[in-house]
């Protein structure tokens, strides 16, 4: 890891076509400007971490049909379980 110190208005060049400039420093916040070609993806690290966490949780989730299989299917009321005189709502 390379650690640099820069003042407002100073820049760092990465490769031939990516420039990171310090726009301002106010209190504990640093504002940066990034100039890069459109094909270069630029994300804040917390957004990338959240995206990776979402992918991991999506992979771990089971499909509803798979869950029903684990539960042995959903019980369905049968005619023999109905008490005398009861009707289904769709009858």
């Amino acid at each position: 890891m390379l650690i640099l110190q820069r003042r407002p208005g100073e820049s760092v060049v990465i490769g031939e076509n990516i420039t990171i400039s310090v726009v301002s420093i106010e209190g504990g916040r640093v504002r940066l400007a990034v100039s890069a070609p459109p094909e270069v993806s630029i994300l804040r690290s917390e957004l990338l971490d959240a995206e990776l966490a979402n992918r991991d949780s999506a992979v771990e989730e089971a499909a509803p049909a798979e869950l029903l299989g684990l539960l042995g299917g959903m019980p369905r009321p049968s005619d023999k379980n109905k008490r005398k005189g009861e009707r289904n709502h769709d009858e």
Side-chain angles (χ1 to χ4, degrees):
M1 175 186 291
L2 174 64
I3 300 174
L4 301 171
Q5 291 183 349
R6 302 279 74 198
R7 292 188 170 99
E10 296 180 335
S11 300
V12 174
V13 178
I14 301 172
E16 295 181 12
N17 54 5
I18 300 174
T19 303
I20 301 173
S21 303
V22 179
V23 176
S24 66
I25 302 172
E26 299 172 9
R29 299 190 89 151
V30 177
R31 293 184 69 201
L32 302 173
V34 180
S35 175
E39 64 270 9
V40 175
S41 176
I42 302 170
L43 289 174
R44 296 188 324 242
S45 61
E46 64 272 18
L47 294 179
L48 183 58
D49 293 342
E51 181 181 326
L52 292 174
N54 283 340
R55 283 186 194 166
D56 289 345
S57 65
V59 168
E60 293 173 6
E61 290 181 15
E66 185 180 334
L67 291 174
L68 285 174
L70 292 172
L71 295 172
M74 292 295 291
R76 297 185 64 179
S78 64
D79 289 339
K80 66 180 180 180
N81 290 338
K82 283 194 256 179
R83 286 183 277 197
K84 214 173 200 182
E86 284 187 348
R87 302 179 68 171
N88 284 338
H89 292 286
D90 55 351
E91 287 184 35

